[in-house]
């Protein structure tokens, strides 16, 4: 994967693997004020890992429609990871597509991105 970074004279393309070793971890590069904010609000720092394979997708079970987690997991073909601060939020592997899931088509679950997850907390 390629990573683009701005320089004063244009855009430089770097290999993502090189960026990982150069930048170590996004967690280590977060401003102290931001780290303090997420810790005070019980947001796990692990959510800010740079490794793209470890970044989950999220789904939210529609509270107005009942869907069993076991049925969703079976339909998606993966294990769902509960998000600690909301009983309706679950993480799943980035590679899983939800658009063919029966519960998604029926409006029982929907995809949600990390920025929206954070505002729910």
């Amino acid at each position: 994967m390629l990573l683009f970074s701005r320089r004063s004279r244009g855009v430089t393309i770097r290999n993502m693997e090189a960026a990982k070793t150069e930048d170590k971890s996004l967690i280590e590069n977060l401003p102290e004020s931001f780290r303090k904010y997420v810790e005070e609000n019980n947001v796990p720092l692990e959510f800010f890992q740079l490794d793209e394979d470890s970044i989950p997708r999220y789904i939210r079970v529609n509270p107005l429609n009942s869907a069993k987690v076991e049925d969703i997991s079976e339909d998606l073909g993966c294990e769902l990871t509960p998000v600690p601060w909301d009983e309706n939020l679950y993480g799943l592997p980035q590679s899983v597509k939800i658009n063919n899931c029966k519960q998604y088509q029926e409006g029982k679950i929907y995809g949600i991105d990390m920025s929206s997850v954070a505002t729910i907390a």
Side-chain angles (χ1 to χ4, degrees):
M1 172 181 261
L2 298 176
L3 176 72
F4 294 86
S5 61
R6 284 200 178 261
R7 304 267 174 150
S8 61
R9 296 184 181 206
V11 176
T12 302
I13 301 173
R14 297 188 297 163
N15 181 297
M16 185 60 126
E17 290 305 314
K20 286 180 186 177
T21 55
E22 288 174 22
D23 298 337
K24 295 183 185 172
S25 166
L26 180 59
I27 293 172
E28 295 171 8
N29 292 316
L30 292 173
E32 187 58 37
S33 59
F34 183 76
R35 290 174 61 103
K36 183 178 177 185
Y37 174 82
V38 295
E39 288 172 1
E40 288 173 354
N41 289 282
N42 298 318
V43 177
L45 286 174
E46 292 76 30
F47 286 162
F48 302 96
Q49 293 283 350
L50 183 59
D51 182 7
E52 70 181 66
D53 294 331
S54 68
I55 299 173
R57 297 185 65 191
Y58 293 91
I59 60 167
R60 187 157 197 260
V61 177
N62 186 338
L64 302 177
N65 294 305
S66 60
K68 294 182 180 179
V69 175
E70 298 81 18
D71 294 340
I72 299 168
S73 181
E74 184 178 328
D75 198 15
L76 292 171
C78 70
E79 185 177 333
L80 302 179
T81 305
V83 174
W85 64 84
D86 188 321
E87 64 186 21
N88 294 317
L89 285 173
Y90 297 89
L92 58 148
Q94 192 180 106
S95 60
V96 175
K97 308 295 182 213
I98 65 170
N99 59 339
N100 291 326
C101 176
K102 179 181 176 184
Q103 287 83 2
Y104 174 76
Q105 294 170 350
E106 294 174 351
K108 293 182 178 180
I109 64 168
Y110 47 89
I112 187 165
D113 62 30
M114 178 50 85
S115 61
S116 298
V117 168
T119 60
I120 290 171

